[in-house]
């Protein structure tokens, strides 16, 4: 074996001893309360069917380079125009993933003289973007308008621009951000800009699945929105949606856009088909029915965190109990993941559930029965 730094093994042993070692799996229980395929677009075969008719006809398989070198095409530019149109924005820019989009946006836009105020529960990709930025940053309490206002009152005068960063649907709890209040605050000064990650809201909320900003009528008040395609859209990739100046700026300064191979034709085409499916199918309504059904059945279970999104969870309060519940569910063929500390705060360890349009009422009933009987 080649030499390696000794701390690699030490860190792995430490994780194993704490019961926190991450492992890759290939076999999962069959009843899916885990994947992000909220609308079944990844599994229902419709995108693959549509792709088969076009794929490889006079097309390069790989994009062959960065968008700024050889990887650009009329097709990706036209797709971006359609994405922008769908989301009622001036422009959209495609990224290889939501992770790339978030780090590319936050590392490039806020400057040394700027301030980033972010919800304490934002996703790791937004955190990593903030860490790469030269701007000063503080977190505000989760969904707390008063906490945000306090920070603004304290710091606003010291900075040129302020970026407020949040998610429309939070990935661990499934609760939603008070976007109307946030947009109001951001409109109190022309130098405050709101950034919203819609990863878990696209396909779930809004007219034809346009997201929560659309559902709440605030799309045009937001500086930058991030739509990811690996969840309800059943594909992968992401787009940052905003005005033409933002798009041009990102093309020039966003390193995760510039220094990477552009997505291949079939990836972009798949996303286009997924948008078409949002319009053509009624999977979103079926998902919404399932959300209402689970919420009515499980809403009163102690420690169950109800939500209006596809994500909900059962707080076990310890890593050990989270593991136990995950195993108990798996024994009944249900796949749901324990989310442990330090990924979530100590005391809020949980098992997280993702609902889908393809979950049956019987599957939901079985889940509820297990949660009702579970002893922490
Ligand atoms: C809120 C949020 N933003 C961004 C991402 C990253 O998106 P992607 O999986 O496309 O990299 C995720 C994925 O887990 C997420 O939950």
């Amino acid at each position: 074996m080649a030499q390696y730094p000794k701390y690699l093994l030490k860190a792995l042993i430490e994780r194993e001893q704490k019961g926190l070692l991450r492992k890759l799996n290939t076999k999962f229980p069959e009843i899916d309360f885990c994947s992000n395929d909220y609308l079944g677009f990844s599994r229902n075969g419709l995108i693959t069917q549509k792709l088969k008719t076009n794929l490889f006809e006079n097309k390069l398989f790989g994009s062959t380079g960065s968008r700024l070198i050889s990887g650009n095409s009329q097709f990706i530019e036209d797709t971006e125009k359609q994405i922008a149109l769908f989301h009622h924005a001036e422009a959209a820019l495609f990224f290889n993933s939501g992770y790339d989009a978030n780090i590319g946006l936050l590392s490039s836009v806020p400057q040394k003289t700027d301030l980033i105020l972010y919800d304490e529960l934002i996703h790791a990709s937004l955190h990593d973007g903030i860490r790469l930025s030269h701007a000063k940053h503080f977190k505000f309490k989760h969904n707390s308008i008063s906490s945000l206002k306090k920070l603004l009152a304290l710091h606003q005068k010291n900075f040129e621009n302020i970026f407020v960063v949040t998610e429309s649907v939070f990935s661990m709890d499934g609760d939603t951000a008070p976007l109307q209040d946030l947009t109001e605050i951001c409109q109190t000064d022309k130098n405050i800009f709101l950034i919203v990650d819609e990863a878990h809201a696209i396909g779930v909320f809004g007219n034809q699945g346009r997201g929560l900003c659309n559902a709440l009528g605030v799309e045009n008040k937001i500086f930058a929105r991030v739509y990811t395609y690996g969840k309800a859209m059943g594909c992968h990739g992401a787009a940052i949606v905003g005005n033409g100046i933002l798009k041009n700026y990102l093309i020039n300064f966003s390193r995760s856009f510039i220094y990477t191979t552009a997505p291949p034709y079939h990836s972009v085409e798949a996303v286009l088909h997924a948008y078409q499916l949002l319009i053509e199918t009624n999977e979103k309504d079926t998902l919404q029915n399932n959300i209402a059904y689970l919420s009515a059945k499980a809403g009163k279970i102690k420690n169950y965190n109800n939500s209006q999104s596809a994500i909900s969870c059962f707080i076990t309060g310890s890593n050990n109990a989270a593991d136990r519940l995950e195993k108990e569910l798996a024994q009944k063929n249900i796949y749901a993941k324990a989310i442990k500390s330090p990924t979530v705060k100590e005391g809020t360890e949980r098992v997280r559930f993702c609902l889908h349009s393809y979950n049956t009422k019987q599957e939901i009933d079985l889940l509820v029965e297990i949660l009702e009987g579970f002893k922490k």
Side-chain angles (χ1 to χ4, degrees), residues 97-100 102 123 125 167 169 171 197 199-200 228 230-231 237:
S97 71
Y99 186 88
D100 284 354
N102 282 339
H123 189 256
S125 54
E167 278 165 37
V169 173
S171 58
D197 179 338
H200 295 278
T228 70
K231 304 184 195 298

Side-chain angles (χ1 to χ4, degrees), residues 59-357:
K59 309 277 177 352
L60 293 165
F61 183 73
S63 71
T64 78
S66 155
R67 289 281 295 278
L68 286 158
I69 313 238
S70 60
N72 199 32
S73 66
Q74 195 55 49
F75 179 64
I76 193 164
E77 295 216 359
D78 290 345
T79 303
E80 287 174 335
K81 278 191 192 130
Q82 292 200 42
I83 293 171
L85 209 65
F86 185 82
H87 291 292
H88 304 129
E90 211 175 283
L93 187 66
F94 208 100
F95 282 75
N96 281 321
S97 71
Y99 186 88
D100 284 354
N102 282 339
I103 59 167
L105 176 66
L106 283 150
S107 61
S108 68
V109 174
Q111 304 294 302
K112 241 186 208 156
T113 47
D114 296 338
L115 172 67
I116 303 171
L117 299 175
Y118 62 93
D119 188 289
E120 63 183 336
L121 294 190
I122 53 168
H123 189 256
S125 54
L126 293 161
H127 270 290
D128 290 359
I130 292 169
R131 280 167 60 188
L132 287 170
S133 156
H134 297 296
K136 185 102 182 148
H137 48 88
F138 298 110
K139 63 182 175 199
F140 57 90
K141 290 211 176 81
H142 177 51
N143 276 348
S144 167
I145 297 298
S146 62
S147 169
L148 173 61
K149 277 184 172 165
K150 262 187 217 154
L151 287 172
L152 276 171
L154 262 177
H155 300 291
Q156 192 168 358
K157 58 185 178 308
N158 303 323
F159 295 92
E160 250 169 62
N161 299 298
I162 294 163
F163 296 89
V164 175
V165 182
T166 193
E167 278 165 37
S168 47
V169 173
F170 284 85
S171 58
M172 288 298 145
D173 295 77
D175 57 340
T176 54
L179 291 178
Q180 273 152 336
D181 295 338
L182 288 169
T183 50
E184 256 172 52
I185 292 177
C186 293
Q187 284 185 317
T188 56
D189 192 298
K190 65 176 184 349
N191 296 332
I192 311 180
F193 303 93
L194 185 56
I195 294 177
V196 180
D197 179 338
E198 291 247 65
H200 295 278
I202 184 173
V204 180
F205 291 105
N207 180 25
Q208 295 174 325
R210 282 174 168 80
L212 193 65
C213 297
N214 172 270
L216 299 176
V218 296
E219 284 169 316
N220 63 355
K221 295 179 179 145
I222 293 164
F223 163 65
R225 290 174 270 148
V226 180
Y227 294 96
T228 70
Y229 301 132
K231 304 184 195 298
M233 301 292 267
C235 306
H236 77 278
I240 297 178
V241 161
N243 68 25
I245 305 277
L246 172 65
K247 176 170 177 168
N248 249 332
Y249 181 87
L250 292 170
I251 291 171
N252 278 277
F253 296 101
S254 174
R255 296 171 69 86
S256 61
F257 174 84
I258 300 167
Y259 297 107
T260 191
T261 301
Y265 182 91
H266 52 274
S267 276
V268 181
E269 191 192 325
V271 168
L272 204 56
H273 293 318
Y275 273 107
Q276 205 56 42
L277 290 183
L278 283 183
I279 296 164
E280 287 169 4
T281 67
N282 53 11
E283 295 299 329
K284 189 199 121 191
D285 297 338
T286 316
L287 170 67
Q288 284 296 343
N289 286 339
N290 276 347
I291 292 171
Y293 186 78
L294 174 62
S295 170
K297 289 223 132 191
K300 293 213 174 78
I301 299 174
K302 198 173 165 224
N303 303 312
Y304 176 76
N305 262 15
N306 218 346
S307 94
Q308 294 176 341
S309 73
I311 300 167
S312 62
C313 60
F314 183 95
I315 305 288
T316 58
S318 73
N319 284 342
N320 192 286
D323 275 338
R324 259 196 306 114
L325 178 55
E326 182 185 308
K327 280 203 188 100
E328 207 171 299
L329 290 161
Q331 277 160 8
K332 297 274 165 66
N333 211 11
I334 288 182
Y335 188 34
K337 264 313 235 184
I339 312 282
K340 302 191 232 177
S341 55
T343 300
V344 289
K345 241 188 236 163
E346 221 171 288
T348 72
E349 296 85 352
R350 68 203 52 202
V351 173
R352 174 177 178 264
F353 307 107
C354 293
L355 261 184
H356 312 93
S357 56

